[in-house]
Amino acid sequence: MLVAGRIENFKEYSKFSSIKEFNNTIEMFLAEHKKDFTIGELFAFKRLVRFSAKYAGVANAKIGTPVKVINEKLK
């Protein structure tokens, strides 16, 4: 079971060797699936990707943090 903590404690869970590889994977995913997202879902997905950039593909934020940022940007 994962327990909240510093993001450094979770970097081992990254499946990517670099941020470049992570970004390329996101681009390829969106090239195929962007049409499946609503505008709001796409916006939220892109924000979540930003929270996953310090260690490629690993995000460690309380759910309220990205939700708060997304809500502020949509206003």
Side-chain angles (χ1 to χ4, degrees):
M1 180 174 159
L2 292 178
V3 180
R6 299 181 52 82
I7 187 69
E8 292 81 11
N9 297 340
F10 300 98
K11 65 184 177 183
E12 67 195 58
Y13 294 105
S14 176
K15 301 292 184 190
F16 303 96
S17 59
S18 68
I19 292 294
K20 184 176 180 177
E21 180 188 0
F22 175 64
N23 288 336
N24 288 340
T25 302
I26 295 299
E27 286 179 32
M28 289 187 305
F29 173 82
L30 286 176
E32 185 173 337
H33 297 286
K34 186 176 181 178
K35 65 186 179 311
D36 300 326
F37 287 88
T38 65
I39 293 171
E41 290 169 340
L42 185 59
F43 183 81
F45 178 78
K46 289 180 177 181
R47 289 288 159 184
L48 184 58
V49 167
R50 284 186 165 185
F51 276 93
S52 306
K54 184 171 183 178
Y55 296 103
V58 178
N60 182 31
K62 293 183 285 184
I63 189 66
T65 304
V67 169
K68 180 181 175 187
V69 170
I70 292 165
N71 282 330
E72 288 173 355
K73 296 290 183 178
L74 291 176
K75 289 182 181 180

